[in-house]
Coordinates of all heavy atoms in Angstrom, one line a residue:
M1 N 110.3 72.6 113.1 CA 110.6 74.0 113.4 C 111.8 74.5 112.5 O 111.8 75.5 111.9 CB 110.8 74.2 114.8 CG 110.9 75.6 115.3 SD 109.3 76.5 115.1 CE 109.8 78.1 115.5
K2 N 112.8 73.6 112.5 CA 114.1 74.0 111.7 C 113.8 74.0 110.2 O 114.3 74.9 109.5 CB 115.1 72.9 112.1 CG 116.5 73.4 111.7 CD 117.6 72.4 112.2 CE 118.9 72.8 111.7 NZ 119.2 72.9 110.3
D3 N 112.9 73.1 109.8 CA 112.5 73.0 108.4 C 111.8 74.3 107.9 O 112.0 74.8 106.9 CB 111.7 71.7 108.1 CG 112.6 70.5 108.0 OD1 113.9 70.7 108.1 OD2 112.0 69.4 108.0
E4 N 110.9 74.8 108.9 CA 110.1 76.0 108.5 C 111.0 77.2 108.3 O 110.6 78.2 107.6 CB 109.1 76.2 109.6 CG 107.8 75.2 109.6 CD 107.0 75.4 110.7 OE1 106.9 76.5 111.3 OE2 106.4 74.4 111.2
I5 N 112.1 77.2 109.0 CA 113.1 78.3 108.9 C 113.9 78.2 107.6 O 114.2 79.1 106.9 CB 114.0 78.5 110.1 CG1 113.1 78.9 111.3 CG2 115.0 79.6 109.9 CD1 113.7 78.6 112.7
D6 N 114.4 76.9 107.4 CA 115.3 76.7 106.3 C 114.6 76.9 105.0 O 115.3 77.4 104.1 CB 115.8 75.2 106.4 CG 116.9 75.1 107.5 OD1 117.4 76.2 107.9 OD2 117.2 74.0 107.8
I7 N 113.4 76.5 104.8 CA 112.7 76.6 103.5 C 112.7 78.1 102.9 O 113.0 78.3 101.9 CB 111.4 75.9 103.6 CG1 111.5 74.4 103.7 CG2 110.5 76.3 102.4 CD1 110.3 73.7 104.1
P8 N 112.2 79.0 103.8 CA 112.2 80.4 103.2 C 113.6 81.0 102.8 O 113.7 81.6 101.8 CB 111.6 81.3 104.4 CG 110.8 80.3 105.3 CD 111.6 79.0 105.1
I9 N 114.6 80.6 103.6 CA 116.0 81.1 103.3 C 116.4 80.4 102.0 O 116.9 81.1 101.1 CB 116.9 80.7 104.5 CG1 116.6 81.6 105.8 CG2 118.4 80.9 104.0 CD1 117.2 81.0 107.0
Q10 N 116.1 79.2 101.8 CA 116.5 78.4 100.6 C 115.8 79.1 99.4 O 116.4 79.4 98.4 CB 116.0 77.0 100.7 CG 116.4 76.1 99.5 CD 117.9 75.9 99.5 OE1 118.5 75.6 100.5 NE2 118.5 76.0 98.3
K11 N 114.5 79.5 99.6 CA 113.8 80.1 98.4 C 114.3 81.4 98.1 O 114.4 81.9 97.0 CB 112.3 80.2 98.8 CG 111.5 78.9 98.6 CD 110.0 79.1 99.0 CE 109.2 77.9 98.7 NZ 107.8 78.1 99.1
E12 N 114.7 82.3 99.2 CA 115.3 83.6 99.0 C 116.6 83.5 98.3 O 116.9 84.3 97.3 CB 115.4 84.3 100.3 CG 115.5 85.8 100.2 CD 115.7 86.4 101.5 OE1 115.0 86.0 102.5 OE2 116.5 87.4 101.6
E13 N 117.4 82.5 98.6 CA 118.7 82.3 97.9 C 118.5 82.0 96.5 O 119.2 82.4 95.5 CB 119.5 81.3 98.6 CG 120.1 81.8 100.0 CD 120.9 80.7 100.6 OE1 120.7 79.5 100.3 OE2 121.6 81.0 101.6
D14 N 117.5 81.1 96.2 CA 117.1 80.7 94.8 C 116.7 82.0 94.0 O 117.1 82.1 92.9 CB 116.1 79.7 94.8 CG 116.6 78.3 95.2 OD1 117.8 78.2 95.3 OD2 115.8 77.4 95.4
L15 N 115.9 82.8 94.7 CA 115.4 84.0 94.0 C 116.6 84.9 93.7 O 116.6 85.5 92.6 CB 114.4 84.7 94.9 CG 113.5 85.8 94.3 CD1 112.5 85.1 93.3 CD2 112.7 86.5 95.4
V16 N 117.5 85.1 94.6 CA 118.6 86.0 94.4 C 119.4 85.4 93.3 O 119.9 86.1 92.4 CB 119.5 86.1 95.7 CG1 120.8 86.8 95.4 CG2 118.7 86.9 96.8
A17 N 119.7 84.1 93.3 CA 120.5 83.5 92.2 C 119.8 83.7 90.9 O 120.5 83.9 89.9 CB 120.7 82.0 92.6
A18 N 118.5 83.5 90.9 CA 117.8 83.7 89.6 C 117.9 85.1 89.1 O 118.0 85.3 88.0 CB 116.3 83.3 89.9
N19 N 117.8 86.1 90.0 CA 117.9 87.5 89.6 C 119.3 87.7 89.1 O 119.4 88.5 88.1 CB 117.6 88.4 90.8 CG 116.2 88.5 91.1 OD1 115.3 88.4 90.2 ND2 115.8 88.8 92.3
V20 N 120.3 87.2 89.7 CA 121.7 87.4 89.3 C 121.9 86.8 87.8 O 122.4 87.4 87.0 CB 122.7 86.8 90.2 CG1 124.1 86.7 89.6 CG2 122.7 87.5 91.6
R21 N 121.3 85.6 87.7 CA 121.4 85.0 86.3 C 120.7 85.8 85.3 O 121.1 85.9 84.2 CB 120.8 83.5 86.5 CG 121.8 82.5 86.8 CD 121.3 81.1 86.5 NE 120.0 80.8 87.1 CZ 119.8 80.2 88.3 NH1 120.9 79.9 89.0 NH2 118.6 79.9 88.8
R22 N 119.5 86.3 85.7 CA 118.7 87.1 84.8 C 119.4 88.4 84.4 O 119.5 88.8 83.3 CB 117.3 87.4 85.3 CG 116.3 87.9 84.3 CD 114.9 87.7 84.8 NE 114.6 88.2 86.1 CZ 114.1 87.5 87.1 NH1 113.7 86.3 86.9 NH2 113.9 88.1 88.2
D23 N 120.1 89.0 85.4 CA 120.9 90.2 85.2 C 122.0 90.0 84.3 O 122.3 90.7 83.4 CB 121.4 90.8 86.5 CG 120.3 91.6 87.3 OD1 119.2 91.7 86.8 OD2 120.6 92.0 88.4
N24 N 122.7 88.9 84.5 CA 123.9 88.6 83.6 C 123.4 88.2 82.2 O 124.1 88.7 81.3 CB 124.6 87.3 84.2 CG 125.4 87.6 85.5 OD1 125.8 88.8 85.7 ND2 125.7 86.6 86.4
Y25 N 122.3 87.6 82.1 CA 121.8 87.3 80.8 C 121.4 88.5 80.0 O 121.7 88.7 78.8 CB 120.5 86.3 81.0 CG 119.9 85.9 79.6 CD1 120.6 85.0 78.8 CD2 118.7 86.5 79.2 CE1 120.0 84.6 77.6 CE2 118.1 86.1 78.1 CZ 118.7 85.2 77.2 OH 118.2 84.9 76.1
S26 N 120.8 89.5 80.8 CA 120.4 90.7 80.2 C 121.6 91.6 79.7 O 121.6 92.2 78.7 CB 119.6 91.6 81.2 OG 118.4 91.0 81.4
K27 N 122.7 91.5 80.6 CA 123.9 92.2 80.2 C 124.5 91.7 79.0 O 125.0 92.5 78.1 CB 124.9 92.1 81.4 CG 124.5 93.2 82.5 CD 125.4 92.9 83.7 CE 124.9 93.8 84.9 NZ 125.6 93.4 86.2
V28 N 124.5 90.4 78.9 CA 125.1 89.7 77.7 C 124.3 90.1 76.4 O 124.8 90.4 75.4 CB 125.2 88.2 77.9 CG1 125.5 87.5 76.6 CG2 126.2 87.8 78.9
R29 N 123.0 90.0 76.6 CA 122.0 90.3 75.5 C 122.3 91.8 75.1 O 122.4 92.1 73.9 CB 120.6 90.2 75.9 CG 120.2 88.7 75.9 CD 120.1 88.1 74.5 NE 119.1 88.9 73.7 CZ 117.9 88.5 73.5 NH1 117.4 87.4 74.2 NH2 117.0 89.2 72.9
D30 N 122.3 92.7 76.0 CA 122.6 94.1 75.7 C 123.8 94.4 75.0 O 123.9 95.1 74.1 CB 122.5 95.0 77.1 CG 121.1 95.1 77.6 OD1 120.2 94.8 76.9 OD2 121.0 95.6 78.8
L31 N 124.9 93.6 75.6 CA 126.2 93.8 74.9 C 126.2 93.3 73.5 O 126.8 94.0 72.6 CB 127.2 93.1 75.8 CG 128.7 93.4 75.6 CD1 128.9 94.8 76.1 CD2 129.6 92.5 76.3
Q32 N 125.6 92.2 73.3 CA 125.5 91.6 71.9 C 124.8 92.5 71.0 O 125.1 92.8 69.8 CB 124.8 90.2 72.0 CG 125.8 89.2 72.5 CD 125.1 87.8 72.6 OE1 123.9 87.7 72.7 NE2 125.9 86.8 72.8
A33 N 123.6 93.1 71.5 CA 122.8 94.0 70.7 C 123.6 95.3 70.4 O 123.6 95.8 69.3 CB 121.6 94.4 71.4
M34 N 124.4 95.7 71.4 CA 125.2 96.9 71.2 C 126.3 96.7 70.1 O 126.4 97.6 69.2 CB 125.8 97.4 72.5 CG 126.2 98.8 72.6 SD 126.5 99.3 74.3 CE 128.1 98.5 74.6
E35 N 126.9 95.6 70.2 CA 128.0 95.2 69.2 C 127.3 95.0 67.8 O 128.0 95.5 66.8 CB 128.7 93.9 69.6 CG 129.6 94.1 70.8 CD 130.2 92.9 71.4 OE1 129.8 91.8 70.9 OE2 131.1 93.0 72.2
F36 N 126.2 94.5 67.8 CA 125.5 94.3 66.5 C 125.2 95.7 65.9 O 125.4 95.9 64.7 CB 124.2 93.5 66.7 CG 123.6 93.1 65.5 CD1 124.1 92.2 64.6 CD2 122.3 93.6 65.2 CE1 123.5 91.8 63.4 CE2 121.6 93.2 64.0 CZ 122.2 92.3 63.1
N37 N 124.6 96.5 66.7 CA 124.2 97.9 66.2 C 125.5 98.7 65.8 O 125.5 99.4 64.8 CB 123.5 98.7 67.3 CG 122.1 98.1 67.5 OD1 121.5 97.6 66.6 ND2 121.5 98.4 68.6
T38 N 126.6 98.5 66.6 CA 127.8 99.2 66.2 C 128.3 98.7 64.9 O 128.8 99.5 64.1 CB 128.9 99.0 67.3 OG1 128.3 99.5 68.6 CG2 130.1 99.8 67.1
A39 N 128.3 97.4 64.6 CA 128.7 96.9 63.4 C 127.9 97.4 62.2 O 128.5 97.7 61.2 CB 128.6 95.4 63.5
I40 N 126.7 97.5 62.4 CA 125.8 98.0 61.3 C 126.1 99.4 61.0 O 126.3 99.9 59.9 CB 124.3 97.8 61.7 CG1 123.9 96.3 61.6 CG2 123.4 98.6 60.7 CD1 122.5 96.0 62.2
A41 N 126.1 100.2 62.1 CA 126.5 101.7 62.0 C 127.8 101.9 61.3 O 128.0 102.7 60.5 CB 126.5 102.3 63.4
G42 N 128.8 101.0 61.7 CA 130.1 101.1 61.1 C 130.1 100.8 59.6 O 130.8 101.5 58.9
R43 N 129.3 99.9 59.2 CA 129.2 99.5 57.8 C 128.5 100.6 57.1 O 128.9 101.0 56.0 CB 128.4 98.2 57.6 CG 129.3 97.0 57.8 CD 128.6 95.7 57.2 NE 127.4 95.4 57.7 CZ 127.3 94.5 58.8 NH1 128.4 94.1 59.3 NH2 126.1 94.2 59.2
L44 N 127.4 101.2 57.6 CA 126.7 102.3 56.9 C 127.7 103.5 56.8 O 127.7 104.1 55.8 CB 125.5 102.7 57.7 CG 124.3 101.7 57.6 CD1 123.2 102.1 58.6 CD2 123.8 101.5 56.3
L45 N 128.4 103.8 57.9 CA 129.3 104.9 57.9 C 130.5 104.6 56.8 O 130.8 105.6 56.0 CB 130.0 105.1 59.2 CG 130.4 106.4 59.6 CD1 129.3 107.4 59.7 CD2 131.1 106.4 61.0
A46 N 130.9 103.5 56.7 CA 131.9 103.1 55.8 C 131.5 103.2 54.4 O 132.2 103.7 53.5 CB 132.4 101.7 56.1
K47 N 130.2 102.9 54.1 CA 129.5 103.0 52.8 C 129.5 104.4 52.4 O 129.8 104.8 51.2 CB 128.1 102.4 52.9 CG 127.7 101.6 51.7 CD 126.4 101.1 52.0 CE 126.0 99.9 50.9 NZ 124.7 99.4 51.2
D48 N 129.1 105.4 53.3 CA 129.1 106.8 53.1 C 130.4 107.4 52.7 O 130.5 108.2 51.9 CB 128.5 107.5 54.3 CG 127.0 107.3 54.4 OD1 126.4 106.9 53.5 OD2 126.5 107.7 55.5
K49 N 131.4 106.8 53.4 CA 132.7 107.3 53.2 C 133.3 106.9 51.8 O 134.0 107.6 51.2 CB 133.7 106.9 54.2 CG 133.6 107.7 55.5 CD 134.6 107.2 56.6 CE 134.4 108.0 57.8 NZ 135.3 107.4 58.9
I50 N 132.9 105.6 51.4 CA 133.5 105.1 50.2 C 133.0 105.8 49.0 O 133.8 106.2 48.1 CB 133.2 103.6 50.1 CG1 134.1 102.9 51.2 CG2 133.5 103.0 48.7 CD1 133.6 101.4 51.4
Q51 N 131.6 106.0 48.8 CA 131.1 106.7 47.7 C 130.9 108.2 47.9 O 130.0 108.6 48.6 CB 129.7 106.0 47.4 CG 129.8 104.6 46.9 CD 130.5 104.6 45.4 OE1 130.3 105.5 44.6 NE2 131.2 103.5 45.2
V52 N 131.7 108.9 47.3 CA 131.6 110.4 47.3 C 131.6 110.9 45.9 O 132.4 110.5 45.0 CB 132.8 111.0 48.1 CG1 132.7 112.5 48.2 CG2 133.0 110.4 49.5
K53 N 130.6 111.7 45.7 CA 130.5 112.3 44.3 C 131.1 113.7 44.2 O 130.8 114.5 45.1 CB 128.9 112.4 44.0 CG 128.7 112.5 42.4 CD 127.3 112.3 42.2 CE 126.9 112.2 40.7 NZ 125.5 111.9 40.4
C54 N 131.9 113.9 43.2 CA 132.6 115.1 43.1 C 131.6 116.2 42.7 O 130.9 116.0 41.7 CB 133.7 114.9 42.0 SG 134.5 116.6 41.6
E55 N 131.7 117.3 43.4 CA 130.7 118.4 43.1 C 131.1 119.1 41.9 O 130.3 120.0 41.4 CB 130.6 119.3 44.3 CG 131.9 120.1 44.7 CD 131.8 121.0 45.9 OE1 130.7 121.0 46.6 OE2 132.8 121.6 46.2
K56 N 132.2 119.0 41.3 CA 132.7 119.7 40.2 C 132.6 118.9 38.9 O 132.0 119.5 37.9 CB 134.2 120.1 40.3 CG 134.6 121.3 39.5 CD 136.1 121.7 39.8 CE 136.5 122.9 38.9 NZ 137.9 123.3 39.1
C57 N 133.0 117.7 38.9 CA 132.9 116.9 37.6 C 131.9 115.8 37.7 O 131.6 115.2 36.8 CB 134.3 116.4 37.2 SG 134.9 115.1 38.3
G58 N 131.4 115.5 38.9 CA 130.3 114.6 39.1 C 130.8 113.1 39.2 O 130.0 112.2 39.3
K59 N 132.1 113.0 39.1 CA 132.7 111.6 39.2 C 132.7 111.1 40.6 O 133.0 111.8 41.6 CB 134.1 111.7 38.6 CG 134.7 110.3 38.4 CD 136.1 110.4 37.8 CE 137.2 110.3 38.8 NZ 138.6 110.4 38.4
E60 N 132.3 109.8 40.7 CA 132.3 109.2 42.0 C 133.7 108.7 42.4 O 134.3 108.1 41.5 CB 131.3 108.1 42.1 CG 129.8 108.6 42.2 CD 128.8 107.5 42.5 OE1 129.2 106.3 42.4 OE2 127.7 107.9 42.8
F61 N 134.1 108.9 43.6 CA 135.4 108.5 44.1 C 135.4 108.0 45.5 O 134.5 108.4 46.2 CB 136.5 109.6 43.8 CG 136.2 110.9 44.6 CD1 136.9 111.1 45.8 CD2 135.2 111.8 44.2 CE1 136.6 112.3 46.5 CE2 135.0 112.9 45.0 CZ 135.7 113.2 46.1
T62 N 136.4 107.4 45.8 CA 136.5 106.9 47.2 C 137.3 107.9 48.1 O 138.2 108.5 47.6 CB 137.2 105.5 47.3 OG1 138.6 105.7 46.7 CG2 136.4 104.4 46.6
S63 N 136.7 108.0 49.3 CA 137.4 109.0 50.2 C 137.3 108.4 51.6 O 136.3 107.9 52.0 CB 136.6 110.3 50.1 OG 137.2 111.2 51.0
E64 N 138.4 108.6 52.3 CA 138.4 108.1 53.7 C 138.4 109.3 54.6 O 138.3 109.2 55.8 CB 139.7 107.3 53.9 CG 139.5 105.9 53.4 CD 140.8 105.0 53.6 OE1 141.5 105.4 54.5 OE2 140.9 104.0 53.0
T65 N 138.3 110.5 54.0 CA 138.2 111.7 54.8 C 136.8 112.0 55.1 O 135.9 111.5 54.5 CB 138.9 112.9 54.1 OG1 138.3 113.1 52.9 CG2 140.4 112.7 53.9
A66 N 136.5 112.9 56.0 CA 135.1 113.3 56.4 C 134.5 114.0 55.1 O 135.2 114.6 54.3 CB 135.1 114.3 57.5
I67 N 133.2 113.8 55.0 CA 132.4 114.3 53.8 C 132.5 115.8 53.7 O 132.6 116.4 52.7 CB 131.1 113.8 53.8 CG1 131.0 112.3 53.5 CG2 130.1 114.5 52.7 CD1 129.6 111.6 53.9
S68 N 132.5 116.5 54.9 CA 132.5 117.9 54.9 C 133.9 118.4 54.6 O 134.1 119.6 54.3 CB 132.2 118.4 56.4 OG 133.1 117.8 57.3
D69 N 134.9 117.6 54.6 CA 136.3 118.0 54.2 C 136.2 118.5 52.8 O 136.7 119.6 52.5 CB 137.2 116.8 54.4 CG 138.6 117.3 54.1 OD1 139.1 118.3 54.7 OD2 139.3 116.5 53.4
S70 N 135.8 117.7 51.8 CA 135.8 118.1 50.4 C 134.9 117.2 49.6 O 134.9 116.0 49.9 CB 137.3 118.0 49.9 OG 137.3 118.3 48.6
L71 N 134.2 117.8 48.7 CA 133.3 117.0 47.8 C 133.9 117.0 46.4 O 133.2 116.7 45.5 CB 131.9 117.7 47.9 CG 131.0 117.4 49.1 CD1 129.8 118.2 49.1 CD2 130.7 115.9 49.3
K72 N 135.1 117.2 46.3 CA 135.8 117.3 45.0 C 136.7 116.1 44.9 O 137.4 115.8 46.0 CB 136.6 118.6 44.8 CG 135.6 119.8 44.6 CD 136.5 121.1 44.5 CE 135.6 122.3 44.5 NZ 136.3 123.5 44.7
C73 N 136.8 115.5 43.8 CA 137.7 114.4 43.6 C 139.1 114.9 43.6 O 139.3 116.0 43.4 CB 137.3 113.6 42.4 SG 137.8 114.5 40.8
P74 N 140.1 114.0 43.8 CA 141.5 114.4 43.9 C 141.9 115.2 42.6 O 142.8 116.1 42.7 CB 142.3 113.2 44.0 CG 141.3 112.2 44.7 CD 140.0 112.6 44.1
E75 N 141.3 114.9 41.5 CA 141.7 115.6 40.2 C 141.3 117.0 40.2 O 141.9 117.9 39.5 CB 141.2 114.9 39.0 CG 141.9 113.5 38.8 CD 141.0 112.6 38.0 OE1 140.4 113.0 36.9 OE2 140.9 111.4 38.4
C76 N 140.2 117.3 40.8 CA 139.6 118.7 40.8 C 140.1 119.5 42.0 O 139.8 120.8 42.0 CB 138.1 118.6 40.9 SG 137.4 117.9 39.4
R77 N 140.8 119.0 42.9 CA 141.3 119.8 44.0 C 142.4 120.8 43.7 O 143.1 120.5 42.8 CB 141.7 118.8 45.2 CG 140.6 118.6 46.2 CD 141.1 117.5 47.2 NE 140.0 116.6 47.5 CZ 140.2 115.4 48.1 NH1 141.3 115.0 48.5 NH2 139.1 114.6 48.3
Ligands
ZN101 ZN1 136.2 115.9 40.1

């Protein structure tokens, strides 16, 4: 009689523990995927910032400012 009660409780605890482990695993995976995507987006953004073509003389130059700020190289400003 005691065993019949203990077994379902044991199984439920295992199920809860398994769910917690699965949740934690999912959170770690999501976090890693998010960091990976952020790193890619950051590299693409950095690439866009580095290569800016001057709209006046056509010379490519590096810029750390926003693209909308100016499309002219420092010499043409
Ligand atoms: Zn220029």
Side-chain angles (χ1 to χ4, degrees):
M1 191 65 187
K2 196 173 179 298
D3 285 348
E4 282 172 30
I5 295 162
D6 283 347
I7 290 164
I9 290 165
Q10 185 69 46
K11 278 183 180 175
E12 200 178 320
E13 284 176 349
D14 283 350
L15 197 69
V16 169
N19 281 334
V20 168
R21 274 199 300 273
R22 196 156 55 230
D23 279 356
N24 286 337
Y25 181 71
S26 295
K27 279 174 191 165
V28 169
R29 283 290 299 270
D30 285 351
L31 198 68
Q32 284 174 344
M34 205 165 71
E35 284 173 354
F36 187 66
N37 287 338
T38 303
I40 290 169
R43 275 202 295 274
L44 289 173
L45 204 66
K47 222 177 193 178
D48 283 346
K49 279 182 183 176
I50 288 165
Q51 290 291 327
V52 183
K53 202 169 185 178
C54 177
E55 63 179 5
K56 201 171 179 183
C57 71
K59 194 177 95 179
E60 284 188 347
F61 62 101
T62 57
S63 178
E64 285 182 18
T65 58
I67 289 165
S68 59
D69 181 52
S70 178
L71 285 171
K72 289 172 185 166
C73 71
E75 289 160 44
C76 295
R77 264 174 224 168

